[in-house]
Amino acid sequence: MIDVDARLRPVTLDEWPAFAHAMHDVFAEEAPASFAERPSSVAELDRSLSMWEGDRVVATAGTYSRTLAVPGALVPCAGITWVTVAPTHRRRGVLTAIMRRQLTELHEQQREPVAGLWAAEYPIYGRFGYAPATREARFSGRTERLRLRPDVDLGAGRVEQVTAEEYRPAAVAVHAAVHRWVPGNMVRDDRWWDRHMRDDPSGRHGASARRYLLHREADGTVTGYAAYRVKGAWSDTGEPDGTLTVEEMRATGTPAYAALWQVLLSVDLVRTLKYPAASPEDPLRWLVTDARALHSTPVDGLWVRLVDVDRALAARRYPAPIDLVLEVRDPFCPWNDGRWRLSGHPAGGYCGPTDRDPDIVLGIEELSAAYLGGVPLAALQAAGRVTEVSPGAVTLASTAFSWPVTPWCPDNF
């Protein structure tokens, strides 16, 4: 049996091309030339992990230093990424060693109390305590059936097409104004905006270059933005049959949001709309005359893992008062295993160890799923994954863990 942990180490800048090639090879992808030659500006090589077999990379992983919006607060979050194991080294404990190293270092160094990742395959990460805490709605529909209701307020502003250079500073300001109110959103600094704005031709898949819209009020203030692409097509009878894909859309109010949609639903030669990374509660479904014409495919989004139960639960806010003892089962991170008294309210929270009898017993996976307020503990109880000890405790906890805004993460990393 190989000593995997002893062989895991950060990758160096000189080793990056081999690291990048190995990572993309597992995903059956060709690394973009710019990424294959040197890491992007958001990469943190000191937080990477690699395992080598001679001059060949057989395992990769990385961590981004991110900040996550949680109910009522912003919390440092370890963005887990680049996780691959070569087919020749599967079932040897390599992935388990990577996950344990990452979580142990976060705990021992008192870094981010929460970790998050995007799961390529659903069954993998639950055994390490991660759980899907946000969902996405992959919207699609035929534009001839998608029309705004006649009573929708479009305001007195205007929508204009702009260049990337005009778009970016305005979008940054709008994003900064809205992201903190949506659990699951990530803070974006200049490096992350650089990455977000990148538009490599190899990633367009036959569609146009990215196009940009801004919504301006009468006084010139920007209150909304949208980024989209169009892929032209023609039917067998010669009719236009293009597809418009919305990549991102944010606004500070309903009139700006509706005005942007009015433009997007009216683009010439387009017959199909796609919005693949929308919030499951996006207001678009309530803005159109025929909500059945807006088809929605729900998929899991950001997976969350509480690294330190006490710090993570104390960091968020609770819309209803709660004072309960949670008995948490966490065999993978034993420092979390035990009983925790959680006392919270709309202004803050406290969580610390206790020897009191538990009101609820649950695993770290279930607690992580509920953390952002989108997965009710009552639903997990109905699935047999949460045990209520004190009568009414699950109802109380479900209410306190909930949040008025549906969790949503538009930042895939």
Side-chain angles (χ1 to χ4, degrees), residues 37-353:
E37 294 166 2
R38 62 184 299 108
S40 69
S41 61
V42 298
E44 301 174 52
L45 297 192
D46 61 319
R47 304 193 75 180
S48 68
L49 290 173
S50 65
M51 192 172 89
W52 296 72
E53 194 75 61
D55 59 356
R56 176 172 168 254
V57 180
V58 295
T60 66
T63 303
Y64 292 127
S65 302
R66 305 229 53 181
T67 301
L68 174 70
V70 303
L74 294 174
V75 174
C77 175
I80 306 303
T81 187
W82 306 342
V83 179
T84 69
V85 178
T88 54
H89 286 69
R90 302 265 168 82
R91 296 176 179 84
R92 300 189 189 184
V94 177
L95 180 59
T96 298
I98 288 172
M99 294 285 108
R100 196 180 304 281
R101 170 77 72 86
Q102 288 176 327
L103 293 168
T104 300
E105 288 184 353
L106 291 173
H107 168 68
E108 291 180 347
Q109 298 171 12
Q110 289 290 282
R111 296 193 69 159
E112 295 92 343
V114 178
L117 56 78
W118 292 82
E121 294 183 85
Y122 198 101
I124 296 175
Y125 293 99
R127 65 183 188 268
F128 307 120
Y130 287 89
T134 75
R135 296 186 71 79
E136 291 181 347
R138 294 182 174 173
F139 286 148
S140 64
R142 298 293 286 179
T143 56
E144 65 265 23
R145 292 184 60 193
L146 293 172
R147 293 289 179 265
L148 298 187
R149 291 165 53 93
D151 60 343
V152 170
D153 180 11
L154 299 176
R158 67 185 187 279
V159 176
E160 56 189 46
Q161 192 133 18
V162 297
T163 65
E165 291 71 27
E166 294 173 286
Y167 170 88
R168 176 167 172 164
V172 168
V174 172
H175 185 271
V178 301
H179 79 270
R180 67 177 297 123
W181 310 114
V182 183
N185 273 210
M186 296 279 182
V187 174
R188 294 180 191 163
D189 60 19
D190 283 341
R191 299 170 307 131
W192 283 98
W193 274 103
D194 287 343
R195 169 175 155 150
H196 184 73
M197 295 288 294
R198 194 168 59 223
D199 188 15
D200 296 328
S202 61
R204 296 173 185 169
H205 306 294
S208 68
R210 192 181 292 121
R211 300 176 181 179
Y212 303 99
L213 298 177
L214 292 179
H215 179 273
R216 294 186 189 274
E217 301 298 331
D219 64 0
T221 303
V222 175
T223 51
Y225 67 83
Y228 68 99
R229 300 181 193 276
V230 175
K231 186 173 184 178
W234 300 87
S235 71
D236 292 341
T237 58
E239 294 295 316
D241 195 22
T243 297
L244 185 150
T245 300
V246 178
E247 295 195 342
E248 182 164 56
M249 191 168 180
R250 306 302 290 269
T252 59
T254 301
Y257 198 67
L260 286 164
W261 274 116
Q262 185 182 54
V263 171
L264 290 168
L265 294 173
S266 305
V267 174
D268 286 341
L269 309 182
V270 168
R271 296 296 181 268
T272 300
L273 168 80
K274 292 185 177 181
Y275 187 11
S279 165
E281 296 301 329
D282 191 285
L284 178 60
R285 67 171 71 248
W286 304 104
L287 292 174
V288 296
T289 57
D290 184 359
R292 289 182 181 176
L294 187 65
H295 305 294
S296 175
T297 302
V299 295
D300 53 290
L302 182 71
W303 289 54
V304 166
R305 210 277 187 207
L306 303 193
V307 178
D308 289 313
V309 165
D310 52 347
R311 293 196 297 145
L313 293 183
R316 59 156 287 175
R317 304 293 181 261
Y318 301 86
I322 182 173
D323 191 350
L324 295 174
V325 174
L326 309 178
E327 183 172 312
V328 179
R329 306 284 173 79
D330 190 355
F332 197 72
C333 294
W335 56 85
N336 287 325
D337 205 72
R339 297 176 183 178
W340 302 91
R341 178 188 175 188
L342 171 62
S343 176
H345 46 76
Y350 162 81
C351 185

Side-chain angles (χ1 to χ4, degrees), residues 318 321-322 324 326 342 360 377-378 392-402:
Y318 301 86
I322 182 173
L324 295 174
L326 309 178
L342 171 62
I360 294 173
L377 287 170
V394 169
T395 298
L396 174 60
S398 286
T399 303
F401 270 82
S402 68

